[in-house]
Amino acid sequence: MVGVATLIGMFLMPILAIIFCINLVEIMKKVKREEPTATNTFWLTASFLLIVWSIAITSLIH
């Protein structure tokens, strides 16, 4: 589990950060136009959880 968190932290963190930012901007645009945001909210939450989880697990081993 620590190895997976380390790999996510090292290699997938930039991708997860981009996914997070894109979905955050899309949610803000959709809220302004009063459109549904469920899909973007799911991906925003999933990317945020993976970012926080990988940081937390990686910090436990160091």
Side-chain angles (χ1 to χ4, degrees):
M1 183 162 102
V2 174
V4 173
T6 304
L7 288 175
I8 289 173
M10 290 176 58
F11 298 112
L12 294 181
M13 191 70 70
I15 296 168
L16 291 171
I18 291 169
I19 291 170
F20 181 83
C21 291
I22 288 172
N23 281 298
L24 182 61
V25 170
E26 286 299 316
I27 287 172
M28 290 189 291
K29 287 179 183 178
K30 286 183 177 186
V31 165
K32 185 176 180 180
R33 294 183 301 226
E34 297 181 8
E35 296 177 0
T37 61
T39 304
N40 294 100
T41 303
F42 170 78
W43 288 112
L44 178 88
T45 304
S47 62
F48 181 74
L49 286 175
L50 282 172
I51 289 169
V52 171
W53 176 76
S54 64
I55 291 170
I57 296 297
T58 306
S59 69
L60 287 176
I61 61 171
H62 295 302

